[in-house]
């Protein structure tokens, strides 16, 4: 449960009190005890993009005529998508995860789910449900990718995306629309951004560390400011994208005075592709890429990553990916950032 504070015309969403996560409200029924499924020791599985991850689900006994159903809770619509169903002897895969999932089945009581080549969209909450007539029971687990959230807007300025355009723009930059949990975590780590942007569930927010007049006023407390759910077709905002490190990938810089077309060719000459915005953020966050040199990226923007702030590299006190915006693609002023995948 979250606490909402109405301040001016905006809602501030604060973190839940620590006790509410662990204490059950007085008078509410206790959750049913598990008869057949073992309670997992750890309900969060940490992994990386491109890796193989296993979500544990183990039975303590095998009831008659049972089935185990794995599903994923989709934050965009709050529905559960079935992934796989098994009766212990046979199984059937469903949905877009189908080619990358299998049952570990290391012994007859093991119904754990293995996901290969983990992708950004795999992060989230999963449910292992034992279907056994009136004695159905389930456990929930979370697959977590360590990542970075970044605000994104197109070359023609801010507040140009409807929801579907924002979703597509993030995907084009090797990322996806962030969830609220991802945006909240980014805010706790210092993300401070005045422009409102779409997130995956169709709501619109912006994170503020330093309260100031253009961003809701000085009297508002720091926090995630929200406009709530908006019209996905008509309303227009920026986007908050989430990306993660990809195993075996690398971003490197090629120095030169290149226009945009020459930048792309320079990367190809080195067996690489011109980097996308999400790939540069990932290299900055997880590989500590630190350069003072502006370089072209695939969307036509020019940016540079700073992990150790210094006066001659923009002068800003905090680490981050700096931007020169979207200069003319004919300009021969910058180098380029190139991406090599696994």
């Amino acid at each position: 449960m979250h606490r909402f504070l109405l301040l001016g015309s905006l809602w501030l969403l604060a973190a839940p009190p620590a006790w509410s996560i662990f204490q059950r409200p007085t008078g509410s029924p206790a959750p049913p005890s598990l008869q057949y499924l073992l309670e997992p020791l750890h309900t969060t599985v940490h992994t990386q993009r491109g890796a193989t991850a296993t979500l544990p689900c183990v039975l303590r006994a095998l009831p008659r005529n049972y089935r185990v159903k794995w599903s994923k809770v989709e934050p965009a619509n709050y529905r559960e998508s079935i992934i796989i169903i098994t009766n212990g002897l046979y199984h059937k895969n469903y949905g877009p995860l189908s080619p990358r999932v299998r049952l570990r089945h290391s012994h007859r009581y093991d119904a754990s789910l293995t996901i290969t080549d983990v992708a950004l969209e795999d992060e989230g909450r999963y449910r292992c449900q034992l279907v056994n007539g009136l004695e159905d029971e389930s456990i929930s687990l979370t697959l977590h990718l360590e990542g970075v959230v970044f605000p994104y807007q197109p070359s023609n300025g801010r507040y140009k995306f409807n929801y579907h355009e924002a979703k597509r723009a993030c995907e084009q930059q090797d990322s996806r629309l962030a969830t609220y949990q991802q945006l909240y975590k980014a805010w706790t780590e210092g993300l401070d951004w005045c422009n409102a942007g779409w997130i995956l569930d169709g709501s619109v927010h912006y994170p503020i560390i330093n309260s100031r007049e253009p961003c809701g006023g000085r009297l508002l407390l720091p926090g995630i400011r929200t406009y709530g759910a908006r019209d996905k077709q008509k309303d227009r905002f920026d986007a908050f994208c989430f990306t993660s490190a990809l195993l075996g990938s690398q971003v490197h810089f090629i120095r030169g005075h290149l226009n945009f077309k020459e930048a792309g060719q320079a990367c190809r000459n080195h067996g690489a592709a011109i980097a996308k915005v999400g790939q540069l953020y990932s290299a900055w966050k997880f590989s500590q890429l630190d350069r003072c040199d502006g370089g072209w990226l695939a969307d036509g923007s020019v940016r540079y990553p700073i992990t150790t702030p210094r006066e001659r590299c923009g002068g800003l006190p905090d680490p981050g990916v700096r931007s020169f915006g979207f200069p003319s693609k004919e300009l021969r002023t910058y180098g380029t950032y190139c991406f090599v995948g696994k």
Side-chain angles (χ1 to χ4, degrees), residues 3-318:
R3 295 177 289 122
F4 289 87
L5 304 176
L6 180 59
L7 298 170
S9 60
L10 295 174
W11 288 92
L12 175 66
L13 182 52
W19 57 264
S20 68
I21 299 174
F22 304 103
Q23 288 190 343
R24 192 170 64 251
T26 303
S28 63
S33 59
L34 296 175
Q35 180 180 355
Y36 292 104
L37 295 178
L38 287 175
E39 190 74 39
L41 289 176
H42 304 285
T43 58
T44 299
V45 174
H46 297 266
T47 188
Q48 288 182 280
R49 188 157 53 132
T52 296
T54 297
L55 298 168
C57 184
V58 178
L59 284 69
R60 70 175 84 235
L62 299 178
R64 291 184 178 182
N65 302 319
Y66 76 95
R67 289 179 298 155
V68 171
K69 179 175 72 173
W70 275 99
S71 57
K72 184 176 188 291
V73 179
E74 302 295 349
N77 52 26
Y78 302 105
R79 296 178 181 174
E80 288 194 17
S81 299
I82 296 175
I83 300 170
I84 195 168
I85 297 177
T86 181
N87 64 0
L89 296 175
Y90 307 99
H91 70 272
K92 185 174 181 180
N93 293 15
Y94 298 86
L97 264 175
S98 180
R100 297 190 289 112
V101 296
R102 57 180 172 81
L103 294 171
R104 183 174 62 181
H105 213 65
S106 58
H107 53 79
R108 62 195 294 248
Y109 299 101
D110 186 12
S112 302
L113 182 73
T114 295
I115 305 174
T116 61
D117 195 19
V118 171
L120 289 173
E121 58 269 22
D122 297 342
E123 175 164 290
R125 189 158 61 91
Y126 292 76
R127 189 158 75 111
C128 177
Q129 181 182 12
L130 176 73
V131 182
N132 183 35
L134 298 177
E135 298 177 326
D136 293 0
E137 55 191 59
S138 66
I139 58 171
S140 291
L141 301 112
T142 298
L143 186 67
H144 174 75
L145 278 73
E146 193 66 31
V148 57
V149 172
F150 61 94
Y152 189 74
Q153 56 185 222
S155 59
N156 57 343
R158 73 172 194 161
Y159 294 176
K160 301 296 183 182
F161 294 135
N162 67 23
Y163 172 82
H164 306 287
E165 292 164 343
K167 185 173 182 289
R168 187 161 55 248
C170 287
E171 291 167 355
Q172 290 170 347
Q173 297 309 315
D174 193 46
S175 59
R176 70 192 297 249
L177 278 175
T179 64
Y180 180 81
Q181 290 77 12
Q182 290 163 347
L183 182 63
Y184 185 90
K185 183 174 185 291
W187 169 69
T188 66
E189 294 172 348
L191 181 60
D192 182 279
W193 195 255
C194 210
N195 295 339
W198 294 101
I199 64 172
L200 188 59
D201 65 4
S203 59
V204 174
H205 310 265
Y206 64 100
I208 294 297
I209 298 290
N210 302 306
S211 299
R212 50 204 187 273
E213 286 303 327
C215 308
R218 297 180 184 276
L219 297 180
L220 284 180
L221 295 173
I224 305 290
R225 313 279 166 77
T226 178
Y227 294 139
R230 310 300 290 189
D231 189 307
K232 292 182 178 181
Q233 292 287 353
K234 296 179 181 179
D235 290 327
R236 294 190 173 270
F237 297 95
D238 292 344
F240 286 105
C241 305
F242 170 84
T243 193
S244 180
L246 178 62
L247 284 175
S249 65
Q250 181 185 16
V251 172
H252 63 271
F253 180 75
I254 295 179
R255 188 183 299 276
H257 297 283
L258 309 169
N259 64 28
F260 178 72
K261 185 176 180 181
E262 292 166 343
Q265 187 58 53
C267 289
R268 289 190 291 274
N269 291 345
H270 285 76
I274 188 168
K276 299 177 180 181
V277 177
Q279 292 162 348
L280 184 65
Y281 268 93
S282 179
W284 162 74
K285 178 76 172 180
F286 300 105
S287 301
Q288 288 73 53
L289 185 62
D290 184 291
R291 291 204 66 102
C292 258
D293 308 277
W296 291 103
L297 296 178
D299 66 340
S301 65
V302 172
R303 306 174 196 250
Y304 62 101
I306 297 296
T307 57
T308 305
R310 46 212 187 268
E311 189 62 36
R312 67 183 184 88
C313 299
L316 295 176
D318 299 316

